[in-house]
Amino acid sequence: MRETQAQTVQVPPLRDDLAFLDIVTEWDIESDYQKWRPGIVVPATFLSGPQLSYVIAVANQKGGVGKTLTAFELAMAMVARGKRVRLIDADPQAASLTSWLRVVYPDGLPVEERRSLTDVYFDRCTLKEATYPTAYQGLYLVQSFPDLATVESEQPTGSETCLRFHLREENDDVDVTIIDSGPSLGTLTVSALVAAHDVVIPVQAASGLDIEGAAALHQTLGTVTTRMNRDLRVAAIFLTDFERSKLARKIGGEMAKAFPDALVVPARTCVKIGDAQFAKQALRHYAPEATTVLDYDRGAGFLLNGAAR
C-alpha cells in the first residue's frame, strides 16, 4: 500500500440528531399498512464481522441495484469510525467505482507502473502494490478497467482463489476490505465470495425482478460455501432506492424470510446520488445528511459491532 500526503479529506461521524430509521428485530408484514413504519432489521443474535482484516463482498448478479453505491457508502461509514478501509473494484464495466472514486498516485510514478486488479490476477503485482490512497483519509482503492474482463475469458491459474491468497498472505494494515463485484456470477464474483467473510446483497426495493437475482445468488452462495468457503455468511440485505410502498414492504419481507440471520436495511432513495457521481465525490461527502447516507451508516455500524452496536 502506497502512502501519500494527498489524503486531505476527513470523514467525520454523523450527528446523532439526524433522521435515522428505527431499529427492529423483525420485518413487519402483519400490521395495517397505514400504520407501517419501515425500520432496520437487526436479529438479536446478529454478530459482527472479524475485528481484524474483515473482508466483505458486495454482490448481486443483477445490474443497476446499487452495488457500487453500497460498497462506497459502507466504506465511508467505516472510515468515519476510525477504520482503514480498502475498496476493490472487481467490476470490469467502464461505469464502475474506479470512474467515481479517483486514486492519488505517488509523485513521479510512470503510467506504465500504475497497477490495477487485472495485474493482481495475472501475477504482475501483489494486491498491496495495486492499492492506492484516495483523497479521503483512511480510504484506499484497487482500481479496475475494462481489461479486467480478460480474467473471465482467459481464466488465469488460481483465479478463483487469487483474492483470498493475497488478502491472507499480505500484511498491509487494512482493517476492512470491501469488494465491489460486477453484475454476473462469473469467476470475478466467485473469487470475491471465496475471499470474503461476509456477503452484502443490494436488492432494489422497487423491482420485483431483483428477488430472482437474489435467488440466483443464493444458489451460487450455496456452492461456494459447500466447496470453497464454509465460513461465508450473508450478513446484510440493503433495500436500495427504498420508498415506502406495498411492493417495498413485500420485498423486504421476502428477503427477511430468505435470510433470517441477516440485517435488512432500507436504504432510502436520494436524488443527489447522480450529482455526487458527477462531482467525483462520495455521497456522504456531497450530501452528508441525505437519508441514504444515514441508512448505510447505521448498517455499517452493525456490521462492525454486531447487534450491540
Side-chain angles (χ1 to χ4, degrees):
M1 185 151 53
R2 306 160 189 259
E3 298 295 342
T4 178
Q5 299 301 314
Q7 290 185 286
T8 58
V9 181
Q10 293 185 337
V11 185
L14 300 179
R15 301 197 322 270
D16 292 332
D17 62 345
L18 299 176
F20 292 98
L21 290 172
D22 292 337
I23 306 302
V24 297
T25 57
E26 60 184 20
W27 189 264
D28 176 17
I29 57 173
E30 299 295 338
S31 67
D32 183 86
Y33 176 74
Q34 299 302 323
K35 298 179 180 179
W36 174 57
R37 293 182 59 188
I40 296 175
V41 176
V42 183
T45 57
F46 183 78
L47 299 175
S48 65
Q51 296 303 302
L52 297 174
S53 302
Y54 182 21
V55 182
I56 300 170
V58 179
N60 189 328
Q61 72 164 8
K62 190 174 182 299
V65 299
K67 289 187 291 294
T68 296
L69 175 67
T70 298
F72 199 175
E73 286 303 308
L74 287 177
M76 290 288 285
M78 291 178 181
V79 167
R81 288 167 168 79
K83 301 297 184 182
R84 286 164 62 92
V85 181
R86 167 174 45 209
L87 282 162
I88 296 179
D89 185 357
D91 184 353
Q93 296 182 111
S96 63
L97 185 59
T98 298
S99 65
W100 188 351
L101 176 62
R102 298 293 176 84
V103 302
V104 181
Y105 293 112
D107 290 340
L109 182 68
V111 173
E112 62 272 15
E113 294 182 15
R114 297 175 181 179
R115 300 303 186 185
S116 70
L117 188 58
T118 304
D119 295 308
V120 178
Y121 276 100
F122 284 93
D123 291 325
R124 296 191 286 261
C125 72
T126 65
L127 186 63
K128 184 176 182 178
E129 290 169 337
T131 301
Y132 295 97
T134 70
Y136 298 103
Q137 293 182 11
L139 184 62
Y140 302 83
L141 175 65
V142 178
Q143 301 179 101
S144 76
F145 301 98
D147 66 350
L148 184 62
T150 59
V151 174
E152 300 281 2
S153 60
E154 298 184 20
Q155 298 284 312
T157 302
S159 55
E160 290 187 339
T161 57
C162 175
L163 289 180
R164 181 174 65 183
F165 170 79
H166 284 281
L167 288 166
R168 291 186 178 182
E169 295 297 321
E170 298 176 19
N171 180 17
D172 48 14
D173 298 323
V174 172
D175 299 307
V176 183
T177 294
I178 300 177
I179 308 168
D180 180 22
S181 302
S184 74
L185 296 179
T187 298
L188 291 167
T189 297
V190 170
S191 178
L193 296 174
V194 170
H197 299 104
D198 286 347
V199 59
V200 166
I201 306 175
V203 175
Q204 196 172 45
S207 172
L209 295 178
D210 279 21
I211 295 178
E212 297 180 11
L217 177 60
H218 200 310
Q219 184 176 2
T220 299
L221 289 171
T223 301
V224 171
T225 53
T226 299
R227 301 179 182 179
M228 307 177 78
N229 184 359
R230 292 185 179 275
D231 296 326
L232 181 68
R233 69 165 181 171
V234 176
I237 310 296
F238 281 84
L239 304 175
T240 59
D241 291 329
F242 186 90
E243 293 183 309
R244 186 178 180 276
S245 70
K246 292 182 179 179
L247 176 60
R249 187 185 194 184
K250 182 177 181 180
I251 291 173
E254 291 292 329
M255 292 297 99
K257 181 179 179 181
F259 304 100
D261 298 319
L263 305 172
V264 179
V265 184
R268 288 167 286 179
T269 189
C270 175
V271 297
K272 295 183 178 180
I273 294 173
D275 295 332
Q277 293 170 328
F278 187 78
K280 305 298 181 184
Q281 295 179 14
L283 181 62
R284 188 186 181 106
H285 183 202
Y286 188 85
E289 296 186 10
T291 54
T292 310
V293 172
L294 309 188
D295 301 332
Y296 280 112
D297 185 83
R298 274 284 172 90
F302 287 115
L303 288 171
L304 289 176
N305 301 312
R309 184 196 67 86

